[in-house]
Amino acid sequence: MRLRSIFLFVALCSFTAYYIYEPIPEEIEERWKLMLTNSFFRSLSHLADFSELLGLKDYMGVMYFITLAENVVPVSDEHVKVTEEKFDGVEVVLYQPKQHHGDTELRRAVIYLHGGGWCLGSSRMSPYDLLARKMVTELHAVVLSVEYRLAPAHPFPVPYEDVYRVVKHFLQKGVLAQYSVDPERIAVSGDSAGGNLAAAVSQQLQKEPRQEVQLKAQALIYPVLQALDLNTPSYQQNQDMPILPRRLMVRFWSEYFTSDRALFRAMMANTHNCPESSSLLKFVNWSTFLPEIYHRQYNYSAPAVVDEVRGDVAVMDRLSQSFADPRASPLVVPDSALHSLPKAYILTCEYDVLRDDGIMYVTRLRAAGVEVTHEHYEAGFHGALMFSVWPTDFLIARRMADNYIKWLKENL
């Protein structure tokens, strides 16, 4: 009996070690903490797959637990005034420095868009709440955090349209005056999918002929910028990396457009491009826009172009146009649309499937004459900035936040 207990204990320990351990590059610090953190994400992902297989709850519905687990009620403190409001019908969380008597100085403003693959996340999650307060106190800025609606219940272009409406509303001179914001010191920023939305809004806003107040800066943190080629070197190199493996990123992309699994399968095979989007592949050709150091052992092969992705014909025809829509894939705009964009801060991580999206955008923006600060973290991984709250607090998150806010302080 005792021998059996010992055997079961050893077997359990071995299984646990096998499940938790995964090969992580030596360059990444706090590797065991990352392994433990990722084991939670993998377990939840497996549970979501199983739930969907049994027809109990869809995949993203189960994964949304991550958002719920970190939700907080944003409240004011001695330094920061927090209010929850609606701008043009969209929920926002507004963080402001508490004004002292006689303080009439106009302030910077940062419009922040949370990440989560357009399907998860919330401005009310504790890491975003913490980052917003840090920006308020260190920049003496107003921070507007947008609670845009999420896919798959609200697919593209709804999340983008929510964000755009908020930005347009906030940039009205009367609204800026209400919050004592300097019209010439406003930035839009976001991480991951939020970086996608921030880049898209920056592009579309400068097209508005009657837009009096323009953005001064855009700060994109490991942004996702294109849906046309999901097999760049970084997608290949980091396909099994923790937090955001390739399969999950592809799932986010497909769910952003539709819950039809035919698109997910096509995107996994990188055979989702139709003739409508094929003409734009030149803008995401990594052999042209990616510095040679990142080519590594990978050889460029243009994504296949198919006449029709299997599935509902009408739906797939609409989706093929969505891939090519710059509101979804900001990297595919022509050079002429880049020249007048505001100065940019772009953060990328070596161990991130989205690394090449950000680096290619850096290359194209600089070629168009846009001032760009590119900060690349050789030991970085996707989502690192948000790992700032115990027990998943990482040292790299503090460095990223400090450097990001330092750039805003110097450029906004």
Side-chain angles (χ1 to χ4, degrees):
M1 185 70 178
R2 186 177 178 184
L3 186 61
R4 181 182 298 176
S5 299
I6 293 173
F7 175 78
L8 288 174
F9 176 75
V10 170
L12 179 62
C13 290
S14 300
F15 176 77
T16 303
Y18 175 79
Y19 188 78
I20 292 175
Y21 179 81
E22 53 188 317
I24 291 179
E26 292 288 341
E27 293 82 359
I28 295 179
E29 54 191 1
E30 302 179 287
R31 293 167 62 242
W32 277 101
K33 184 186 284 190
L34 182 57
M35 287 182 203
L36 288 167
T37 302
N38 194 55
S39 68
F40 166 75
F41 282 92
R42 282 194 294 136
S43 298
L44 189 63
S45 180
H46 293 160
L47 179 63
D49 281 329
F50 190 58
S51 173
E52 188 169 64
L53 183 65
L54 295 180
L56 300 175
K57 197 170 185 66
D58 66 273
Y59 181 87
M60 289 302 172
V62 176
M63 293 297 289
Y64 194 74
F65 174 78
I66 296 169
T67 303
L68 297 176
E70 295 208 85
N71 257 21
V72 295
V73 178
V75 294
S76 300
D77 59 33
E78 58 180 321
H79 301 295
V80 183
K81 177 185 176 183
V82 185
T83 55
E84 297 184 68
E85 304 181 24
K86 282 195 174 183
F87 281 10
D88 197 12
V90 181
E91 291 182 22
V92 299
V93 182
L94 194 66
Y95 297 82
Q96 303 176 71
K98 283 197 172 175
Q99 286 189 305
H100 301 292
H101 183 67
D103 184 3
T104 58
E105 181 185 2
L106 292 180
R107 303 171 295 197
R108 303 175 175 98
V110 178
I111 304 166
Y112 197 88
L113 313 173
H114 69 79
W118 309 280
C119 301
L120 311 174
S122 167
S123 57
R124 299 183 178 93
M125 292 173 70
S126 54
Y128 291 114
D129 180 69
L130 186 66
L131 180 62
R133 292 174 192 275
K134 186 176 175 68
M135 285 193 280
V136 170
T137 55
E138 296 191 20
L139 297 173
H140 192 64
V142 173
V143 176
L144 180 64
S145 200
V146 184
E147 191 72 358
Y148 56 87
R149 287 173 291 176
L150 301 175
H154 304 285
F156 174 80
V158 174
Y160 165 81
E161 289 175 340
D162 280 359
V163 168
Y164 195 67
R165 291 211 314 275
V166 167
V167 173
K168 288 279 289 181
H169 177 87
F170 186 63
L171 293 185
Q172 296 176 88
K173 288 186 176 179
V175 176
L176 296 176
Q178 180 184 344
Y179 298 108
S180 301
V181 170
D182 186 339
E184 296 184 356
R185 301 177 76 189
I186 303 168
V188 65
S189 183
D191 62 293
S192 194
N196 167 282
L197 296 168
V201 164
S202 297
Q203 290 178 1
Q204 299 303 313
L205 195 68
Q206 51 101 26
K207 292 181 179 179
E208 292 277 357
R210 297 179 183 176
Q211 182 63 44
E212 291 186 59
V213 179
Q214 288 285 349
L215 298 167
K216 183 177 182 180
Q218 53 179 322
L220 316 178
I221 300 166
Y222 33 74
V224 49
L225 297 170
Q226 57 87 24
L228 274 63
D229 187 356
L230 304 180
N231 207 32
T232 63
S234 60
Y235 268 104
Q236 296 180 64
Q237 172 188 303
N238 301 306
Q239 62 180 325
D240 296 315
M241 275 300 295
I243 311 304
L244 189 67
R246 180 178 183 270
R247 183 180 181 84
L248 180 56
M249 187 61 239
V250 171
R251 185 70 187 260
F252 280 140
W253 263 126
S254 66
E255 295 277 357
Y256 188 31
F257 296 124
T258 178
S259 293
D260 190 326
R261 294 302 298 275
L263 178 61
F264 171 69
R265 290 189 291 270
M267 284 184 141
M268 280 297 293
N270 211 32
T271 56
H272 57 288
N273 283 285
C274 298
E276 290 83 356
S277 62
S278 64
S279 62
L280 300 175
L281 288 172
K282 61 186 177 183
F283 295 124
V284 298
N285 184 335
W286 59 261
S287 68
T288 301
F289 298 115
L290 203 61
E292 201 163 320
I293 189 174
Y294 297 106
H295 290 197
R296 309 276 162 78
Q297 72 270 30
Y298 306 105
N299 295 312
Y300 180 73
S301 177
V305 177
V306 297
D307 291 329
E308 185 179 300
V309 177
R310 290 183 180 179
D312 184 288
V313 176
V315 171
M316 292 305 161
D317 183 59
R318 174 179 58 81
L319 292 177
S320 67
Q321 297 174 34
S322 297
F323 306 149
D325 192 325
R327 297 174 302 168
S329 296
L331 190 57
V332 305
V333 295
D335 294 340
S336 58
L338 300 174
H339 297 297
S340 57
L341 289 177
K343 67 174 70 175
Y345 171 87
I346 299 179
L347 184 159
T348 57
C349 295
E350 178 63 26
Y351 300 108
D352 180 5
V353 293
L354 303 178
R355 180 198 69 196
D356 296 346
D357 283 22
I359 294 175
M360 285 193 286
Y361 201 40
V362 169
T363 301
R364 294 199 60 210
L365 286 174
R366 284 177 174 165
V370 177
E371 182 184 337
V372 182
T373 298
H374 177 211
E375 192 144 32
H376 183 67
Y377 286 82
E378 292 289 350
F381 55 91
H382 191 84
L385 179 66
M386 291 300 106
F387 288 106
S388 57
V389 179
W390 188 90
T392 57
D393 50 329
F394 285 76
L395 295 173
I396 193 172
R398 297 180 202 170
R399 292 199 300 275
M400 283 183 174
D402 289 343
N403 292 336
Y404 163 62
I405 290 174
K406 181 175 182 287
W407 185 87
L408 288 172
K409 187 177 291 184
E410 294 172 352
N411 291 274
L412 188 59

